[in-house]
């Protein structure tokens, strides 16, 4: 193994470990303080860490193929023999397929099992009964995964493959049945991920930076809001009671009085908390950090605009310069329009690991944008809110469902980065080749440096080595154009939803803490009553 390969894998191991630690912190931050289960928590952490680690393979993949080229000559380095490159790409392929296989296992087996295992919780049922019940419901997802695998196994490549005399294109059409089946299952997950990407990531990309710019409602305004609500609640109680000074109160008004008393108690509790916050050290620190929060929001908004512009320019470019249009899923040969993100990656790639850091940062930003969308919108089915994702009060089922959503969205991100955000960088990295042959028929650009050009799919395959990730994505698109067409037009829908989310986020007021905090207090009281009731039942049973 060349030294450069060992360094790349060592750095990847460190980053993967940090990403797993991030997954632990993320899960612990959102999980319910009183209602949690060890198995569901572990599955959530492992699922998020796995998909993060899979995405973190991309910069390693790019660095390895880029390191095989001598930039000054536009030729392969001496150590980069065909056997060495084949071994290197085979190792990367194995790691990719293991990761994708594990993602499939989590998506179709472990996460559904953990969800139903928790749903079947009952004091009167044994662990064995819960396991069998969970397996019964999980079998539905297992059957779906088997059907997808078999369909991909016997699926024939497109019968209308265009006649393109390119070694790169021919290699995409020649793959093993096992690879074809696995990539088909993964492509099906990416298809679902595109829906999550559109529904949550697109609005989240605008909600996250604009919410940082606008900030939270000032504590003085919160105090005034709570005081006004408290006054209105007390006045409403006084009016109702004054109507029944000398006669019995109807059940309907009695219930309203009880609700108003509960609301008064919660508002009073919130008001005391605000008064304490006004003099707290934390509040002072947050006030001091407010300019930095605003600046961070502006920087993220600028970066979001750059990302969106890059996606827009690439998908427009694909219409004009795709080598075979919709017949092979709008595969593009080399971007003819300037792509800002691709340019940044190409420049950073020359100083490893700057591009690696930038890629990990890009992944985390898309993740946080998706999470921002999930928090703001909630886990929904059409117009029905199934779960709310909140700090310290998310149910285990909500964490598992959000883990599925985030896993699918990050798989869709892999396609987006490879084909639209930075297609040139994701396919060939910083590889170049000498496009000049001397009288002897050898490539020699020592006196024709201007003939050293960036690799694209028209470059010689003995010099330009595509990344394993881009090969997997392009193979799916070329062999099953349906996926390519769906993924391509999904990018247009993504941009449309982003614009709508941007307009909505722009005209929304600053975040109001009162409603969220009041709901959190209500939830805490309800959970406290449930715990007390359960404890009382337990004591009665044991006595």
């Amino acid at each position: 193994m060349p030294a450069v390969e060992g360094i790349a894998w060592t750095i990847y191991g460190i980053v993967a470990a940090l990403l797993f630690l991030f997954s632990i912190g993320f899960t612990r931050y959102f999980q319910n303080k009183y209602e949690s289960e060890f198995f569901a928590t572990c599955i959530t952490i492992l699922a998020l860490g796995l998909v993060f680690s899979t995405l973190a393979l991309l910069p390693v993949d790019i660095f390895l193929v880029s390191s095989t080229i001598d930039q000054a000559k536009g030729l392969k380095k001496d150590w980069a023999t065909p056997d060495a490159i084949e071994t290197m790409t085979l190792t990367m392929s194995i790691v990719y397929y293991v990761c994708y296989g594990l993602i499939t296992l989590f998506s179709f087996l472990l996460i559904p099992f953990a969800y139903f295992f928790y749903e079947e919780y009952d004091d009167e049922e044994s662990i064995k009964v819960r396991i069998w019940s969970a397996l019964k419901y999980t079998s539905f997802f297992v059957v779906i995964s088997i059907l997808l695998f078999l369909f991909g196994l016997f699926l024939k490549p497109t019968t209308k493959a265009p006649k393109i005399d390119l070694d790169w294109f021919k290699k995409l059409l020649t793959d093993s049945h096992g690879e074809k089946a696995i990539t088909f299952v993964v492509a099906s997950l990416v298809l679902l991920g595109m829906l999550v990407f559109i529904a949550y990531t697109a609005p989240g990309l605008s909600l996250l930076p604009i919410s940082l710019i606008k900030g939270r409602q000032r504590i003085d305004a919160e105090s005034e809001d709570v005081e006004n609500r408290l006054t209105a609640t007390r006045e409403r109680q006084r009016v109702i009671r004054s109507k029944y000074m000398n006669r019995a109160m109807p059940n309907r008004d009695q219930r309203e009085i009880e609700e108003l008393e509960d609301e008064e108690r919660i508002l009073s509790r919130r008001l005391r908390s605000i008064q304490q916050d006004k003099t707290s050290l934390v509040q002072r620190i947050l006030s001091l950090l407010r300019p930095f929060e605003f600046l961070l929001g502006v920087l993220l908004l600028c970066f979001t605009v750059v990302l969106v512009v890059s996606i827009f320019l690439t998908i427009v470019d694909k219409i004009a310069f795709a080598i075979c249009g919709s017949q092979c899923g709008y595969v593009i040969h080399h971007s003819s329009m300037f792509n800002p993100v691709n340019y940044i990656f190409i420049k950073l790639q020359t100083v490893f690991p700057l591009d690696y850091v930038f890629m990990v940062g890009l992944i985390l930003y898309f993740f946080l944008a998706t999470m921002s969308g999930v928090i703001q919108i909630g886990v929904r089915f059409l117009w029905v809110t199934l779960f709310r994702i909140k700090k310290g009060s998310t149910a285990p089922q909500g964490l598992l469902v959000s883990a599925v959503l985030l896993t699918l969205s990050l798989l869709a991100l892999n396609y987006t980065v490879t084909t639209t955000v930075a297609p040139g960088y994701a396919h060939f990295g910083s590889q170049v080749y000498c496009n000049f042959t001397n009288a002897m028929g050898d490539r020699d650009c020592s006196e024709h440096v201007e003939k050293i050009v960036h690799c694209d799919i028209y470059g010689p395959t003995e010099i330009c080595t595509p990344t394993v990730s881009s090969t997997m994505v392009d193979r799916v698109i070329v062999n099953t154009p349906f996926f390519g067409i769906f993924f391509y037009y999904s990018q247009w829908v993504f941009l449309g939803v982003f614009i709508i989310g941007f307009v909505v986020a722009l005209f929304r007021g600053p975040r109001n803490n009162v409603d969220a905090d009041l709901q959190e207090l209500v939830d805490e009281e309800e959970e406290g009553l449930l715990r007390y009731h359960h404890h009382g039942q337990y004591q009665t049973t044991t006595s």
Side-chain angles (χ1 to χ4, degrees), residues 58-59 62 303 307 339-351 354-363 417 421-426 429-430:
L58 181 57
I62 294 167
F303 182 60
L307 283 174
N339 184 314
V341 176
N342 196 78
Y343 177 80
I344 293 172
F345 270 119
I346 293 295
K347 292 300 180 183
L348 292 179
Q349 206 278 333
T350 57
V351 187
L354 289 184
D355 64 319
Y356 199 102
V357 173
F358 187 62
M359 175 61 77
V360 172
L362 180 66
I363 293 169
V417 170
V421 174
Y425 170 81
S430 61

Side-chain angles (χ1 to χ4, degrees), residues 3-23:
V4 66
E5 193 173 354
I7 293 172
W9 283 115
T10 300
I11 294 177
Y12 169 75
I14 295 172
V15 171
L18 292 175
L19 290 173
F20 269 98
L21 290 176
F22 175 83
S23 301

Side-chain angles (χ1 to χ4, degrees), residues 28 196 351 353 450 483:
R28 298 287 295 175
V196 179
V351 187
E450 71 281 359
F483 284 117

Side-chain angles (χ1 to χ4, degrees), residues 380-397:
R380 291 174 177 264
F381 180 75
L382 299 178
W383 59 86
V384 180
T385 301
L386 302 177
F387 301 102
R388 284 287 182 186
I389 310 301
K390 295 179 295 182
K391 172 189 173 183
S393 56
T394 306
Q397 305 100 308

Side-chain angles (χ1 to χ4, degrees), residues 277-515:
D277 288 343
K278 282 184 177 181
T279 58
S280 67
L281 179 62
V282 175
Q283 189 62 38
R284 293 176 183 176
I285 294 174
L286 290 176
S287 299
L288 292 174
L289 293 178
R290 173 60 192 144
F292 298 99
E293 182 186 19
F294 176 83
L295 181 60
L296 177 61
V298 172
L299 292 175
L300 290 179
L301 183 60
C302 293
F303 182 60
T304 297
V305 172
V306 171
L307 283 174
V308 171
V309 168
S310 298
I311 293 174
F312 174 74
L313 292 176
T314 302
I315 60 179
V316 169
D317 208 16
K318 281 177 176 286
I319 295 177
F321 298 100
I323 61 174
C324 50
S326 60
Q327 285 183 293
C328 52
Y330 295 100
V331 176
I332 193 170
H333 71 281
H334 192 73
S335 180
S336 300
M337 295 184 180
F338 176 73
N339 184 314
V341 176
N342 196 78
Y343 177 80
I344 293 172
F345 270 119
I346 293 295
K347 292 300 180 183
L348 292 179
Q349 206 278 333
T350 57
V351 187
F352 186 80
L354 289 184
D355 64 319
Y356 199 102
V357 173
F358 187 62
M359 175 61 77
V360 172
L362 180 66
I363 293 169
L364 288 178
Y365 181 57
F366 270 102
F367 169 81
L368 293 175
T370 306
M371 201 60 225
S372 177
V374 172
I375 292 171
Q376 296 286 339
I377 299 170
V379 179
R380 291 174 177 264
F381 180 75
L382 299 178
W383 59 86
V384 180
T385 301
L386 302 177
F387 301 102
R388 284 287 182 186
I389 310 301
K390 295 179 295 182
K391 172 189 173 183
S393 56
T394 306
Q397 305 100 308
L399 281 177
L400 289 167
V401 173
S402 63
V404 172
L405 294 177
L406 293 170
T407 298
L408 294 175
S409 69
L410 291 176
L411 284 177
L413 174 62
N414 194 27
Y415 166 85
T416 303
V417 170
T418 303
T419 62
T420 57
V421 174
Y425 170 81
H427 275 75
F428 294 98
S430 61
Q431 291 182 90
V432 294
Y433 70 97
C434 175
N435 196 26
F436 177 80
T437 54
N438 57 23
M440 303 294 293
D442 299 325
R443 295 181 183 273
D444 185 4
C445 289
S446 56
E447 298 180 0
H448 302 275
V449 181
E450 71 281 359
K451 294 291 185 178
I452 299 178
V453 296
H454 282 284
C455 284
D456 56 25
I457 65 173
Y458 291 101
T461 54
E462 68 271 13
I463 298 178
C464 297
T465 305
T467 60
V468 173
S469 177
S470 68
T471 300
M472 293 174 66
V473 171
D474 291 337
R475 179 167 289 156
V476 170
I477 294 173
V478 170
N479 285 309
T480 50
F482 163 75
F483 284 117
I485 295 170
F486 181 87
F487 295 158
Y488 173 75
Y489 286 105
S490 294
Q491 302 299 308
W492 285 106
V493 179
F494 175 86
L495 293 180
V497 174
F498 168 79
I499 293 172
I500 295 172
F502 181 82
V503 173
V504 171
L506 200 61
F507 289 99
R508 286 178 60 186
R511 286 171 288 173
N512 188 339
N513 300 335
V514 176
D515 292 329

Side-chain angles (χ1 to χ4, degrees), residues 56-101:
L57 283 171
L58 181 57
V60 175
D61 190 8
I62 294 167
F63 173 75
L64 289 177
V65 296
S66 298
S67 65
T68 62
I69 294 292
D70 187 332
Q71 298 288 331
K73 298 179 181 179
L75 300 172
K76 287 290 188 187
K77 293 180 180 178
D78 293 337
W79 65 265
T81 61
D83 290 340
I85 293 174
E86 184 179 358
T87 301
M88 183 177 68
T89 54
L90 178 63
T91 302
M92 180 62 69
S93 298
I94 291 172
V95 175
Y96 262 117
Y97 282 118
V98 168
C99 287
Y100 281 131

